[in-house]
């Protein structure tokens, strides 16, 4: 039987990818209803929210891209969630929008999924999400059924005479007390109907005596249990009332009671689930907020300090996506256990959702105490995790705030801890950072950069630097990579890592990318017109550029304008990029390859794509990431990885370039293993076009080096 899923997605290609990912007829088949606007999605969900029945094809889940023509960002999620909070929502996110997706999870979304992972993970994630929602609904319905049942079944009834001796039990009372009517009649009520406090197990006043004494209907004290004849217990609710004769005299009393064990247990379970994470059983955001509020009140009253640690796992997303959510869930459970072992019983460890945790340290006298706990946590989390015969490795970034120095209320402390955590990530990860006042400008700083991007081209603020690519056997300069820099009027030279992500998010990357293509190809033509040797020129491209309309035609037009052949251009993309919209990506890359443009896979070895992608996509070049090259001489694992990639390149007839070559030892290793090309500071840093022209002239006058891995490469002037 099919289940209806509402897809809110403006991009036709993304919508088609979702449909294809869910095309699995049979048990658990999902039928997709697709709308392109948030407003249309709200109209459809409004039908679900109408009282008096459900539509024929009820929506079981919502898949939504938060960036739509009529609604953008977290506002999209808030509108949908406000209308039907009971329907699970899965956010479909581009990589650059992942922070917005995480925020949606914090606000109530079931989960999020990068669009690049649709093919492999959408169906199992959606099934899991729908199953979890069904379980929650079943639990709610069970509670409702229990309540109706308890109101409908016959209650237990016991009556006594005026002296408090049992005169009657009905069948239900017999079953609940363990006493038959014949055995119970004439016995004191306290012997047949024994009640005690559920917590202390001390006896409580029998309501029957109180009803006789006060001549009115009374109820049993809250949280009481009936102790049966065999010693077992049952939670009960009851009421007792006096029995009068025709003259109004009290002649006895009757007590009516019922077993509420199931309802009480279910109530406790529901209360627990409402305040705890279902996967790790840690306190969730609701319970953390409550405990933080209480801790702040105590800290103010007693003039003491407390600390808050905001923790985000490093590299968890890759493990979760590559090995599956079952492994990811067990890994999160192991993390939760280790965190609990690092703190005191009076502290609180909370899971906020995804791979984020918050630790509340009560009664912290000085920042050094919080630092010691952060260091203890980092050490504990860095130890290997053994799951399904695999040794997995994690790290964490932690932001730390201290009350009252870094904030006086819960909202401010959480915000500042979050900012400090991101500063820890920017500091290299696997570390912690205390909040500092200048972090408040962190977001504003990014907004300032974003606003300047849109004017940077017209103000001629961008410039290209060029880094040589060397033939390691010949010592000849055989290629060049063009690298963009931003000469900001106030900030000076800004590197790509600081503005490219913002450019992608704001939509400025497409015109910037076209400028880079024009500038680099134009410079290549200048070198050729000056009689210098022709070079293959490599340029980085982004997700947004490749997906932009007419990208292949734009590339062809620029090459024709500057009188370059398609083989003179190499476009570099990262390994992770291949996983984004893989169907449309394959088509565009194939078109570029058919045109004759070379395709290079940058930072190879750091992503999570399958090696099958080397067969599926028209890859001409692999660039070994500099993180592996850096430790060649000291880390046997890195040396093995580099050797394996070189061998794989030879076997697949794919060119291999080693990035980040900085030392003679690294160069000797690479030449000995037969790596054909290299790039890095050992040869030259990225330099301006004028400086690179001089390098190219000098290189053109040199003779190739003798054959053999031990032969020296003449580097005169290249390292400058």
């Amino acid at each position: 039987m099919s289940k209806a899923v509402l897809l809110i997605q403006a991009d036709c290609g993304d919508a088609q990818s979702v449909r294809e990912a869910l095309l699995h007829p049979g048990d658990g088949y999902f039928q997709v209803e697709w709308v392109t606007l948030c407003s249309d999605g709200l109209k459809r969900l409004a039908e679900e929210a109408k009282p008096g029945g459900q539509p024929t094809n009820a929506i079981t889940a919502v898949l939504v891209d938060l960036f739509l023509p009529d609604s953008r960002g977290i506002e999209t999620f808030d509108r949908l969630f406000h209308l039907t909070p009971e329907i699970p929502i899965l956010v479909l996110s581009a990589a650059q929008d992942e922070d917005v997706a995480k925020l949606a999870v914090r606000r109530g979304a079931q989960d999020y999924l990068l669009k690049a992972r649709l093919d492999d993970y959408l169906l199992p994630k959606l099934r899991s999400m729908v199953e979890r929602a069904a379980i929650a609904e079943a639990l709610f319905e069970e509670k409702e059924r229990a309540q109706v049942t308890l109101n409908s079944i016959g209650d237990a009834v016991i009556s006594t005479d005026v002296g408090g001796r049992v005169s009657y039990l009905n069948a239900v009372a017999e079953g609940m007390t363990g006493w038959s009517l014949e055995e119970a009649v004439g016995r004191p009520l306290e012997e047949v109907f024994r009640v005690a406090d559920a917590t202390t197990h001390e006896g409580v006043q029998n309501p029957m005596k109180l009803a006789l004494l006060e001549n009115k209907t009374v109820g049993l004290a809250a949280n009481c249990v009936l102790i049966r004849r065999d010693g077992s217990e049952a939670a009960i609710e009851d009421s007792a009332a006096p029995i009068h004769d025709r003259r109004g005299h009290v002649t006895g009393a009757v007590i009516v009671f019922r077993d509420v064990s199931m309802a009480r247990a279910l109530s406790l379970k529901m209360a627990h689930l409402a305040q705890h994470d279902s996967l790790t059983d840690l306190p969730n955001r609701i319970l953390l907020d409550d405990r933080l509020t209480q801790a702040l009140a105590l800290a103010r009253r007693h003039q003491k300090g407390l600390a808050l640690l905001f923790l985000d796992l490093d590299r968890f997303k890759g493990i979760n996506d590559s090995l599956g959510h079952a492994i990811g869930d067990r890994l999160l459970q192991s993390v939760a256990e280790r965190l609990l072992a690092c703190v005191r019983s009076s502290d609180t460890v909370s899971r906020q959702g995804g791979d984020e945790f918050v630790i509340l340290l009560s009664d912290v006298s000085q920042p050094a105490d919080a630092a010691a706990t952060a260091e203890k946590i980092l050490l504990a989390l860095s130890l290997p995790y053994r799951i399904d015969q695999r040794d997995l490795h994690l790290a964490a970034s932690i932001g730390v705030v201290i009350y009252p120095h870094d904030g006086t209320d819960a909202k401010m402390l959480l915000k500042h801890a979050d900012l400090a955590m991101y500063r820890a990530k920017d500091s290299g990860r696997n570390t912690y950072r205390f909040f500092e006042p200048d972090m408040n400008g962190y977001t504003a700083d990014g907004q300032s950069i974003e606003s300047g991007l849109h004017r940077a081209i017209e103000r001629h603020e961008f410039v290209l630097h060029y880094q040589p690519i060397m033939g390691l056997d010949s010592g000849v300069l055989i290629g060049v990579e063009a690298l963009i820099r931003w000469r900001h009027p106030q900030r000076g030279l800004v590197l790509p890592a600081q503005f490219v992500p913002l450019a992608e998010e704001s939509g400025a990357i497409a015109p910037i990318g076209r400028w880079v293509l024009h500038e680099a190809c134009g410079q290549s033509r200048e070198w050729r017109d000056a009689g210098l040797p022709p070079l293959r020129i490599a340029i980085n491209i982004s997700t947004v550029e490749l997906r932009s309309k007419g990208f292949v035609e734009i590339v062809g037009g620029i090459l024709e304008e500057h009188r370059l052949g398609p083989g003179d251009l190499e476009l570099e993309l990262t390994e992770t990029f291949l996983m984004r919209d893989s169907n449309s990506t394959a088509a565009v890359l194939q078109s570029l390859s058919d045109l004759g443009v070379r395709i290079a896979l940058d930072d190879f070895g750091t992503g999570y794509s399958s090696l099958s992608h080397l067969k599926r996509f028209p890859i001409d070049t692999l660039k070994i990431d500099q993180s592996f090259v850096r430790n060649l001489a000291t880390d046997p694992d890195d040396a093995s990885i580099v050797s394996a990639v070189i061998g794989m390149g030879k076997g697949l007839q794919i060119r291999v370039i080693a990035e980040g070559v900085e030392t003679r030892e690294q160069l000797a290793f690479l030449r000995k293993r037969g790596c054909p090309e290299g790039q890095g500071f050992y040869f030259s840093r990225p330099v301006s076009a004028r400086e690179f022209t001089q390098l190219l002239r000098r290189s053109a006058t040199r003779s190739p080096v003798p054959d053999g891995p031990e032969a020296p490469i003449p580097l005169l002037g290249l390292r400058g």
Side-chain angles (χ1 to χ4, degrees), residues 416-718:
H416 288 172
D418 193 28
L419 288 172
M421 181 272 292
Y422 278 106
R423 181 62 60 88
K425 280 191 176 295
D426 288 347
S427 300
R429 307 192 177 208
N430 193 27
T431 188
Y432 67 92
R433 287 290 181 269
F434 279 91
F435 173 76
E436 297 173 2
D438 69 335
M439 292 180 185
N440 274 319
Y442 206 44
T443 305
D445 189 57
Q447 292 173 345
S448 173
I449 291 177
E450 182 179 331
S451 63
L453 279 172
H454 296 279
R455 300 185 298 272
I457 294 179
E458 61 187 61
R459 293 179 178 179
H460 306 289
E461 292 173 357
F462 288 124
V463 65
L464 291 185
H465 282 186
Y466 299 88
Q467 187 173 35
I469 299 172
M470 304 293 294
L472 297 188
D473 280 341
S474 65
V476 174
L477 200 164
I478 59 176
V480 60
E481 181 175 2
L483 301 163
I484 190 172
R485 303 288 188 264
W486 182 10
R487 295 192 181 279
H488 194 280
Q490 284 82 40
R491 301 171 184 272
L493 197 65
V494 182
L495 296 178
Q498 296 174 268
F499 68 85
V500 167
L502 288 171
E504 290 180 328
E505 185 176 344
S506 65
I509 194 64
I512 293 174
R514 285 195 292 272
W515 178 87
V516 172
L517 278 168
H518 270 292
E519 185 73 12
C521 291
Q523 183 60 63
S524 180
R525 170 45 55 193
E526 284 187 29
W527 286 328
R528 295 179 187 221
D529 290 345
L532 294 170
L535 292 177
R536 179 183 77 252
I537 189 161
I539 298 172
N540 291 283
I541 57 172
S542 75
T543 310
V544 180
E545 289 178 84
L546 195 72
R547 287 163 50 191
S548 61
K549 186 177 181 181
F551 179 73
V552 178
E553 291 74 15
I554 290 172
V555 171
I558 292 174
L559 289 171
E560 184 177 350
E561 178 183 345
H562 295 291
R563 294 176 288 124
L564 297 177
D568 298 323
L569 176 64
E570 186 166 73
L571 298 179
E572 295 186 3
L573 56 153
T574 63
E575 191 174 358
T576 304
F577 172 73
L578 283 183
M579 302 300 292
R580 301 175 181 168
D581 305 320
S582 56
N583 292 331
S584 57
T585 297
V588 176
L589 291 181
Q590 190 59 56
S591 296
L592 288 167
S593 182
D594 293 342
L595 183 64
V597 174
R598 298 172 181 268
I599 306 298
L601 193 55
D602 199 9
D603 301 336
F604 185 72
T606 61
Y608 298 93
S609 64
S610 168
L611 291 178
S612 64
H613 288 88
L614 297 181
K615 180 179 179 181
R616 181 181 180 188
F617 297 102
I619 304 300
D620 301 291
T621 305
L622 294 179
K623 301 190 74 174
I624 304 175
D625 185 68
Q626 60 183 343
S627 63
F628 300 113
V629 176
R630 183 181 302 118
N631 299 318
L632 278 179
T634 58
D635 191 328
D637 291 338
D638 284 350
S640 298
I641 291 172
V642 171
S643 298
V645 175
I646 294 171
M648 183 173 59
K650 291 178 181 177
L652 297 175
Q653 296 184 329
I654 296 176
R655 290 172 47 252
V656 175
I657 301 175
E659 294 185 293
V661 181
E662 297 183 356
T663 68
R664 186 176 298 276
E665 291 76 18
Q666 293 167 355
L667 176 59
F669 178 95
L670 293 168
R671 295 183 69 195
K672 186 174 182 180
R673 296 301 189 279
C675 184
E677 300 179 22
Q679 178 181 355
F681 288 176
Y682 184 77
F683 308 112
S684 172
R685 295 176 179 273
V687 296
S688 66
R690 181 183 60 81
E691 293 173 295
F692 191 85
T693 302
Q694 297 173 2
L695 300 182
L696 190 54
R697 291 187 190 281
R698 288 199 293 272
S699 178
T701 62
R702 299 195 189 98
S703 300
V705 300
D707 290 337
E710 304 302 329
I713 293 182
L715 300 173
L716 299 177
L718 282 179

Side-chain angles (χ1 to χ4, degrees), residues 80-362:
L80 296 169
F81 185 75
H82 177 74
L83 182 60
T84 53
E86 71 282 356
I87 298 179
I89 297 176
L90 176 65
V91 176
L92 304 179
S93 173
Q96 64 267 22
D97 303 323
E98 192 171 5
D99 287 344
V100 180
K102 285 185 176 182
L103 179 58
V105 173
R106 295 183 203 171
R107 294 200 184 187
Q110 283 283 332
D111 207 343
Y112 75 94
L113 179 64
L114 293 180
K115 295 179 182 179
R117 306 296 187 190
L118 288 177
D119 289 349
D120 297 325
Y121 301 109
L122 177 58
L123 185 57
K125 184 178 282 287
L126 184 57
R127 281 175 173 164
S128 175
M129 186 174 78
V130 171
E131 286 173 4
R132 291 198 303 269
I135 290 171
E137 181 65 18
L139 188 60
F140 177 80
E141 290 177 0
E142 182 182 346
K143 180 185 178 183
E144 288 295 298
R145 284 195 300 270
Q147 189 64 46
V148 170
T149 301
L150 289 170
N151 289 335
S152 302
I153 63 172
D155 293 333
V157 178
I158 299 178
S159 62
T160 69
D161 59 21
V162 71
R165 294 185 177 275
V166 174
S167 58
Y168 173 78
L169 284 80
N170 70 353
V172 178
E174 287 181 322
M176 287 188 64
T177 63
W179 287 84
S180 66
L181 177 60
E182 292 76 11
E183 295 174 304
V185 170
R187 293 181 179 273
L189 178 65
E190 292 85 351
E191 186 177 345
V192 175
F193 185 70
R194 295 170 55 201
V195 288
D197 183 274
T199 304
T200 65
H201 281 80
E202 294 181 357
V204 298
Q205 185 175 21
N206 195 301
M208 193 82 83
K209 281 193 173 182
L210 193 60
L212 291 170
L213 181 65
E214 298 186 0
N215 193 20
K216 66 178 183 180
T217 301
V218 297
L220 190 65
N223 197 34
C224 285
V225 293
L226 169 68
I227 303 176
R228 298 188 179 98
R229 191 175 186 181
D230 62 5
S232 61
E233 299 177 358
I236 61 170
E237 291 179 352
D238 80 345
S239 63
I243 300 173
H244 300 92
D245 61 16
R246 297 178 62 182
R247 295 182 294 275
H249 298 152
V250 175
T251 61
V254 63
I255 184 168
V256 179
F257 59 97
R258 67 187 64 182
D259 187 339
V260 294
S261 299
M262 183 181 298
R264 189 171 294 176
L266 188 59
S267 176
L268 292 173
K269 185 176 182 180
M270 293 290 287
H272 183 85
L273 287 175
Q275 296 185 320
H276 290 79
D277 172 51
S278 59
L279 177 64
T280 63
D281 204 38
L282 293 177
N284 60 15
R285 291 187 299 271
I286 296 172
L287 186 53
L288 174 70
D289 288 344
D290 182 62
R291 291 188 180 178
L292 181 53
T293 300
Q294 294 182 35
L296 286 170
L298 288 173
R300 293 188 193 100
R301 187 178 308 146
H302 300 293
Q303 296 185 343
K304 292 185 177 182
L306 60 82
L308 207 61
L309 280 61
F310 199 110
L311 182 151
D312 185 272
L313 297 176
D314 302 328
R315 300 195 297 272
F316 173 77
K317 184 66 177 173
I319 295 174
N320 197 43
D321 289 346
S322 61
L323 298 182
H325 297 288
I327 298 292
D329 287 351
R330 290 171 61 186
L331 190 55
L332 287 173
Q333 290 168 343
S334 296
V335 167
E337 292 173 1
R338 295 189 186 188
L339 290 176
L340 288 171
C342 290
V343 300
R344 303 163 298 183
S345 59
S346 58
D347 300 324
T348 296
V349 177
S350 166
R351 182 181 178 218
Q352 298 294 286
D355 58 355
E356 291 182 340
F357 297 81
V358 173
I359 298 96
L360 168 61
L361 305 178
S362 58

